[in-house]
Amino acid sequence: MSIASTNLKGIVAATAILVTFSIPSFAQTADSRDEEQLLLQLSQATPEQAANIDRQLKALWAQSGSASADLLLERGREALEDGDSLAAIEHLTALTDHAPQFAEAWHVRASAFFGIERFGMAAADLEYALTLNPNNYEAIYGLGLIFEIVDRPDKALDAYERALAIHPHHEEVTNAVNRLKPRVEGSAL
């Protein structure tokens, strides 16, 4: 074995060790209660890693800290899944009254309002949810959908791009941006 070959193997090994210890490892996930760290990881993740981080963030955002609030959120979500938007609104309104600082309550109630095409009420709830949690890319995406429905493509695109800045691998948001960008910015000849 030549000296050049031995040196090359040493350089490759040293580089591998350096890279291994200098790049943040997504195998070692952040504390699932550390929103800031999860959001940082999400912005740098691969699509596969993003799916896991997305689940962790949604679980974190769903924690109210109150058993009664958790029960109302669960009932509201179940009613939505059953297609009963009015029952969902009742449960979620009780939740927003009980825990007005719980952003997820406003976000989920917006989904219920959206389901019965009360877009103004849905937008108001989403905007309030975003004052409480400005990083909720799902709420931002929801605002984008409402803007798109009410034929405000420029505002919709802005919302979608804001959501993508937080979650670069959000498939629905990516599709929405790809759909709207040519309409808003015009298409090349």
Side-chain angles (χ1 to χ4, degrees), residues 64 95-106 128-129 131-133:
S64 69
L95 177 54
T96 58
D97 290 346
H98 175 74
Q101 299 303 307
F102 181 37
E104 191 62 9
W106 299 93
Y128 192 74
T131 64
L132 299 170
N133 179 3

Side-chain angles (χ1 to χ4, degrees), residues 4-24:
S5 176
T6 303
N7 285 342
L8 182 58
K9 286 181 182 180
I11 292 169
V12 169
T15 303
I17 290 170
L18 179 64
V19 168
T20 301
F21 290 106
S22 64
I23 296 176

